[in-house]
Amino acid sequence: MAKISEGIDDYLDSHYIHRSNWLRAAVLGANDGILSTASLAIGVAAASATREPVVLATLAGLVAGALSMAAGEYVSVSSQTDVEKADIEREKQELKEMPEIELQRLAEIYEKRGLKKTTALTVAKELTEHDVLGAHIRDELGINEISQAKPIQAAFASGAAFTIGGLLPFLVTLFLPLNSMEYSIYGFALFFLIVLGALAAKTGGSSIGIAIIRITFWGTVAMGLTALVGYLFGVNL
């Protein structure tokens, strides 16, 4: 029996949905880090004849972007957490005031999922006896361990990923020749984005080719438009 239980645990661990929360925040952060700092560097490099403004702008964008991503992710996910908590409190109140109606509502949910009316009611009663609040949180509100918001985890993953992603184009501005730097930044940034897209797709179990095409296209659009702005306003910084 222990071996069967261990086998089930290993089987469930192979599902990619368990990684969705932190993977989304990490990929978004790293992608934004690469794209934001590279685009900023390209825009300034296209309008500058010296290295210092490019380095300074890229570093400022890196620091501000990482803090902004972490704070924004924390606030956003915290708002989701507040909504979840409010719904759970409301559900507690409804279970206290009208348990029979809530039982019927739970049975209707199971019936809509394909169970017969009598079976659905039996399942609802048994789950209510086991953990009434947990059953309603999971099946009526749709909140579970996978989808439940985790503000600190999301903020840290997003901020750290942005920093790592932003450091890559920043290093390019430090060490590569100033001549045609915008093209160098674009080339390296595109390479970083392709690697990121491939890693994210492999981690999430999705198509690597589609992920690379998607991230390359939108990365090229963002950096190209920023470079255009730099050329149009090509003042000597």
Side-chain angles (χ1 to χ4, degrees):
M1 186 64 112
K3 288 184 178 179
I4 294 175
S5 177
E6 185 179 343
I8 291 173
D9 289 340
D10 291 341
Y11 170 74
L12 290 176
D13 284 342
S14 68
H15 286 278
Y16 299 107
I17 191 65
H18 295 276
R19 307 170 182 173
S20 61
N21 277 336
W22 66 263
L23 182 61
R24 179 193 62 82
V27 170
L28 177 63
N31 180 75
D32 201 16
I34 295 170
L35 205 49
S36 296
T37 53
S39 296
L40 184 59
I42 288 172
V44 177
S48 177
T50 57
R51 184 184 301 274
E52 288 76 12
V54 183
V55 173
L56 180 60
T58 309
L59 180 60
L62 170 59
V63 174
L67 294 175
S68 175
M69 282 293 291
E73 193 73 21
Y74 180 81
V75 171
S76 174
V77 179
S78 292
S79 299
Q80 181 183 338
T81 304
D82 292 341
V83 172
E84 290 176 354
K85 288 179 179 178
D87 272 346
I88 291 172
E89 289 302 316
R90 180 179 176 182
E91 194 62 35
K92 286 180 181 178
Q93 191 65 28
E94 289 175 348
L95 287 170
K96 184 185 294 185
E97 294 177 354
M98 42 186 178
E100 290 300 322
I101 294 177
E102 287 297 306
L103 177 63
Q104 289 298 323
R105 184 177 296 172
L106 199 60
E108 287 172 5
I109 291 171
Y110 299 141
E111 192 177 346
K112 287 177 181 177
R113 291 179 183 174
L115 296 181
K116 293 180 180 178
K117 191 177 186 68
T118 53
T119 307
L121 185 57
T122 301
V123 171
K125 285 180 179 178
E126 290 184 4
L127 287 176
T128 297
E129 290 171 3
H130 175 68
D131 181 8
V132 58
L133 182 60
H136 282 271
I137 289 174
R138 181 182 60 253
D139 295 320
E140 186 179 346
L141 301 182
I143 301 172
N144 54 51
E145 290 183 2
I146 296 173
S147 65
Q148 194 169 24
K150 298 178 179 67
I152 297 294
Q153 182 191 66
F156 179 79
S158 186
F162 186 100
T163 302
I164 294 170
L167 277 173
L168 300 175
F170 175 67
L171 292 174
V172 174
T173 66
L174 287 177
F175 299 111
L176 264 74
L178 188 61
N179 274 345
S180 66
M181 178 175 280
E182 56 268 36
Y183 299 107
S184 299
I185 296 171
Y186 168 74
F188 275 95
L190 205 59
F191 172 74
F192 299 145
L193 287 171
I194 289 172
V195 172
L196 173 65
L199 286 175
K202 185 172 178 58
T203 305
S206 57
S207 170
I208 293 177
I210 292 175
I212 289 175
I213 292 171
R214 183 169 53 213
I215 205 166
T216 301
F217 173 76
W218 289 110
T220 299
V221 169
M223 288 184 285
L225 290 175
T226 311
L228 179 61
V229 171
Y231 280 115
L232 290 177
F233 296 89
V235 294
N236 189 17
L237 295 178

